[in-house]
Short mmCIF file of all heavy atoms in Angstrom, two decimals:
data_model
loop_
_atom_site.label_atom_id
_atom_site.label_comp_id
_atom_site.label_asym_id
_atom_site.label_seq_id
_atom_site.Cartn_x
_atom_site.Cartn_y
_atom_site.Cartn_z
N PHE H 107 -110.85 -31.29 -30.72
CA PHE H 107 -110.83 -30.56 -29.46
C PHE H 107 -109.25 -30.35 -28.89
O PHE H 107 -108.94 -29.32 -28.46
CB PHE H 107 -111.64 -31.25 -28.44
CG PHE H 107 -111.64 -30.49 -27.05
CD1 PHE H 107 -112.62 -29.49 -26.86
CD2 PHE H 107 -110.80 -30.78 -26.03
CE1 PHE H 107 -112.67 -28.81 -25.56
CE2 PHE H 107 -110.70 -30.05 -24.87
CZ PHE H 107 -111.74 -29.16 -24.68
N VAL H 148 -112.62 -36.01 -22.51
CA VAL H 148 -113.35 -35.00 -23.16
C VAL H 148 -114.38 -35.60 -23.98
O VAL H 148 -114.04 -36.38 -24.89
CB VAL H 148 -112.45 -33.95 -23.86
CG1 VAL H 148 -113.32 -32.98 -24.60
CG2 VAL H 148 -111.57 -33.27 -22.89
N HIS H 149 -115.68 -35.35 -23.81
CA HIS H 149 -116.76 -35.99 -24.63
C HIS H 149 -117.48 -34.87 -25.28
O HIS H 149 -117.91 -33.94 -24.72
CB HIS H 149 -117.62 -36.77 -23.61
CG HIS H 149 -118.91 -37.27 -24.19
ND1 HIS H 149 -118.90 -38.30 -25.13
CD2 HIS H 149 -120.27 -36.99 -23.99
CE1 HIS H 149 -120.12 -38.63 -25.47
NE2 HIS H 149 -120.95 -37.84 -24.80
N GLY H 151 -121.23 -34.59 -27.00
CA GLY H 151 -122.53 -35.28 -27.19
C GLY H 151 -123.49 -34.75 -26.19
O GLY H 151 -123.53 -33.68 -25.82
N LEU H 152 -124.24 -35.68 -25.61
CA LEU H 152 -125.33 -35.36 -24.65
C LEU H 152 -124.81 -35.95 -23.33
O LEU H 152 -123.77 -36.58 -23.18
CB LEU H 152 -126.60 -36.12 -25.11
CG LEU H 152 -127.16 -35.75 -26.38
CD1 LEU H 152 -128.42 -36.56 -26.66
CD2 LEU H 152 -127.48 -34.19 -26.51
N ASP H 153 -125.45 -35.52 -22.28
CA ASP H 153 -125.13 -35.88 -20.89
C ASP H 153 -125.63 -37.30 -20.61
O ASP H 153 -126.60 -37.59 -19.81
CB ASP H 153 -125.76 -34.91 -19.81
CG ASP H 153 -125.45 -35.12 -18.47
OD1 ASP H 153 -124.58 -36.06 -18.35
OD2 ASP H 153 -126.00 -34.40 -17.47
N HIS H 159 -119.02 -38.41 -13.60
CA HIS H 159 -119.37 -37.00 -13.41
C HIS H 159 -119.04 -36.25 -14.56
O HIS H 159 -117.92 -36.27 -15.14
CB HIS H 159 -118.51 -36.54 -12.22
CG HIS H 159 -118.79 -35.02 -11.98
ND1 HIS H 159 -117.92 -34.09 -12.57
CD2 HIS H 159 -119.65 -34.33 -11.17
CE1 HIS H 159 -118.41 -32.90 -12.13
NE2 HIS H 159 -119.43 -33.02 -11.32
N MET H 160 -120.08 -35.55 -15.18
CA MET H 160 -119.99 -34.92 -16.47
C MET H 160 -120.03 -33.31 -16.23
O MET H 160 -121.15 -32.91 -15.88
CB MET H 160 -120.92 -35.36 -17.49
CG MET H 160 -120.81 -36.80 -17.85
SD MET H 160 -122.01 -37.31 -19.24
CE MET H 160 -121.28 -36.51 -20.52
N ALA H 161 -119.02 -32.60 -16.47
CA ALA H 161 -119.03 -31.16 -16.26
C ALA H 161 -119.06 -30.50 -17.64
O ALA H 161 -118.14 -30.69 -18.44
CB ALA H 161 -117.84 -30.68 -15.56
N PRO H 162 -120.18 -29.76 -17.91
CA PRO H 162 -120.29 -29.20 -19.27
C PRO H 162 -119.15 -28.06 -19.37
O PRO H 162 -118.84 -27.21 -18.52
CB PRO H 162 -121.69 -28.49 -19.27
CG PRO H 162 -122.01 -28.31 -17.78
CD PRO H 162 -121.30 -29.47 -17.13
N LEU H 163 -118.54 -28.03 -20.55
CA LEU H 163 -117.56 -27.03 -20.85
C LEU H 163 -118.17 -25.95 -21.69
O LEU H 163 -118.23 -24.82 -21.32
CB LEU H 163 -116.35 -27.77 -21.67
CG LEU H 163 -115.54 -28.70 -20.96
CD1 LEU H 163 -114.46 -29.47 -21.78
CD2 LEU H 163 -114.83 -28.12 -19.75
N PHE H 164 -118.55 -26.34 -22.88
CA PHE H 164 -119.34 -25.29 -23.72
C PHE H 164 -120.13 -25.98 -24.83
O PHE H 164 -119.88 -27.16 -25.18
CB PHE H 164 -118.33 -24.27 -24.35
CG PHE H 164 -117.17 -24.90 -25.11
CD1 PHE H 164 -117.35 -25.43 -26.37
CD2 PHE H 164 -115.94 -24.90 -24.55
CE1 PHE H 164 -116.32 -25.97 -27.10
CE2 PHE H 164 -114.81 -25.48 -25.22
CZ PHE H 164 -114.97 -25.99 -26.46
N GLY H 165 -121.17 -25.29 -25.38
CA GLY H 165 -121.96 -25.78 -26.43
C GLY H 165 -121.27 -25.51 -27.71
O GLY H 165 -120.06 -24.92 -27.73
N LYS H 268 -125.95 -30.61 -28.67
CA LYS H 268 -124.81 -31.30 -27.97
C LYS H 268 -123.83 -30.27 -27.30
O LYS H 268 -123.77 -29.11 -27.69
CB LYS H 268 -124.09 -32.13 -29.03
CG LYS H 268 -125.02 -33.22 -29.58
CD LYS H 268 -124.33 -34.10 -30.66
CE LYS H 268 -125.17 -35.19 -31.20
NZ LYS H 268 -124.48 -35.93 -32.18
N ARG H 269 -122.99 -30.85 -26.36
CA ARG H 269 -121.99 -30.06 -25.67
C ARG H 269 -120.70 -30.77 -25.57
O ARG H 269 -120.59 -31.98 -25.82
CB ARG H 269 -122.53 -29.84 -24.18
CG ARG H 269 -123.78 -29.10 -24.10
CD ARG H 269 -123.62 -27.50 -24.19
NE ARG H 269 -124.71 -26.78 -23.93
CZ ARG H 269 -125.68 -26.49 -24.72
NH1 ARG H 269 -125.59 -26.92 -25.96
NH2 ARG H 269 -126.78 -25.77 -24.42
N TYR H 270 -119.67 -30.04 -25.23
CA TYR H 270 -118.36 -30.65 -24.91
C TYR H 270 -118.47 -30.76 -23.28
O TYR H 270 -118.82 -29.74 -22.67
CB TYR H 270 -117.21 -29.76 -25.23
CG TYR H 270 -116.97 -29.93 -26.73
CD1 TYR H 270 -117.47 -29.00 -27.58
CD2 TYR H 270 -116.07 -30.90 -27.36
CE1 TYR H 270 -117.14 -29.05 -29.06
CE2 TYR H 270 -115.87 -31.05 -28.60
CZ TYR H 270 -116.43 -30.04 -29.51
OH TYR H 270 -116.18 -30.24 -30.85
N TYR H 271 -118.04 -31.95 -22.81
CA TYR H 271 -118.01 -32.20 -21.46
C TYR H 271 -116.68 -32.66 -20.94
O TYR H 271 -115.94 -33.26 -21.69
CB TYR H 271 -118.99 -33.30 -21.07
CG TYR H 271 -120.43 -32.97 -21.25
CD1 TYR H 271 -121.05 -33.19 -22.49
CD2 TYR H 271 -121.24 -32.49 -20.32
CE1 TYR H 271 -122.43 -32.93 -22.55
CE2 TYR H 271 -122.51 -32.17 -20.43
CZ TYR H 271 -123.13 -32.42 -21.59
OH TYR H 271 -124.51 -32.14 -21.79
N LEU H 272 -116.29 -32.34 -19.79
CA LEU H 272 -115.12 -32.87 -19.11
C LEU H 272 -115.71 -33.92 -18.23
O LEU H 272 -116.46 -33.64 -17.31
CB LEU H 272 -114.40 -31.91 -18.35
CG LEU H 272 -112.98 -32.31 -17.76
CD1 LEU H 272 -112.08 -32.56 -18.92
CD2 LEU H 272 -112.39 -31.14 -16.96
N VAL H 273 -115.19 -35.16 -18.41
CA VAL H 273 -115.81 -36.41 -17.77
C VAL H 273 -114.72 -37.08 -16.91
O VAL H 273 -113.62 -37.18 -17.30
CB VAL H 273 -116.29 -37.37 -18.81
CG1 VAL H 273 -117.03 -38.56 -18.17
CG2 VAL H 273 -117.09 -36.70 -19.83
N GLU H 287 -109.16 -29.06 -13.89
CA GLU H 287 -110.51 -28.64 -14.03
C GLU H 287 -110.61 -27.10 -13.70
O GLU H 287 -111.45 -26.44 -14.42
CB GLU H 287 -111.41 -29.36 -13.12
CG GLU H 287 -111.64 -30.91 -13.53
CD GLU H 287 -112.58 -31.60 -12.60
OE1 GLU H 287 -112.90 -31.14 -11.52
OE2 GLU H 287 -113.09 -32.66 -13.01
N MET H 290 -109.27 -25.22 -16.65
CA MET H 290 -110.16 -25.15 -17.88
C MET H 290 -111.33 -24.26 -17.54
O MET H 290 -111.82 -23.52 -18.42
CB MET H 290 -110.61 -26.53 -18.13
CG MET H 290 -109.52 -27.47 -18.62
SD MET H 290 -110.00 -29.08 -19.14
CE MET H 290 -110.75 -28.68 -20.75
N ARG H 291 -111.89 -24.13 -16.33
CA ARG H 291 -113.09 -23.26 -16.10
C ARG H 291 -112.56 -21.86 -16.27
O ARG H 291 -113.27 -21.01 -16.78
CB ARG H 291 -113.52 -23.49 -14.68
CG ARG H 291 -114.47 -24.76 -14.57
CD ARG H 291 -115.22 -24.72 -13.22
NE ARG H 291 -114.24 -24.70 -12.10
CZ ARG H 291 -113.84 -25.77 -11.43
NH1 ARG H 291 -114.32 -27.01 -12.01
NH2 ARG H 291 -113.08 -25.75 -10.43
N LEU H 294 -112.54 -20.68 -19.77
CA LEU H 294 -113.83 -20.53 -20.34
C LEU H 294 -114.76 -19.35 -19.65
O LEU H 294 -115.81 -19.14 -19.98
CB LEU H 294 -114.69 -21.81 -20.08
CG LEU H 294 -114.25 -22.97 -20.91
CD1 LEU H 294 -114.82 -24.31 -20.42
CD2 LEU H 294 -114.41 -22.77 -22.37
N ARG H 297 -117.56 -17.06 -20.84
CA ARG H 297 -118.17 -17.66 -22.09
C ARG H 297 -119.34 -18.44 -21.68
O ARG H 297 -119.33 -19.24 -20.72
CB ARG H 297 -117.18 -18.65 -22.79
CG ARG H 297 -117.60 -19.03 -24.07
CD ARG H 297 -117.01 -20.39 -24.50
NE ARG H 297 -117.51 -20.68 -25.86
CZ ARG H 297 -118.63 -21.20 -26.11
NH1 ARG H 297 -119.60 -21.37 -25.13
NH2 ARG H 297 -119.07 -21.43 -27.31
N PRO H 298 -120.56 -18.23 -22.40
CA PRO H 298 -121.75 -19.00 -22.00
C PRO H 298 -121.52 -20.45 -22.26
O PRO H 298 -120.94 -20.90 -23.21
CB PRO H 298 -122.82 -18.43 -22.94
CG PRO H 298 -122.07 -17.88 -24.05
CD PRO H 298 -120.86 -17.40 -23.57
N VAL H 299 -122.00 -21.25 -21.21
CA VAL H 299 -121.92 -22.73 -21.41
C VAL H 299 -123.12 -23.18 -22.24
O VAL H 299 -122.88 -24.13 -23.08
CB VAL H 299 -121.96 -23.46 -19.99
CG1 VAL H 299 -122.06 -24.91 -20.18
CG2 VAL H 299 -120.78 -23.03 -19.17
#
Side-chain angles (χ1 to χ4, degrees):
F107 180 89
V148 175
H149 172 66
L152 303 176
D153 185 0
H159 175 271
M160 301 183 68
L163 294 175
F164 52 79
K268 297 180 178 180
R269 298 279 189 273
Y270 285 94
Y271 293 90
L272 190 62
V273 186
E287 288 184 344
M290 292 184 75
R291 286 195 297 270
L294 297 167
R297 189 204 182 283
V299 174

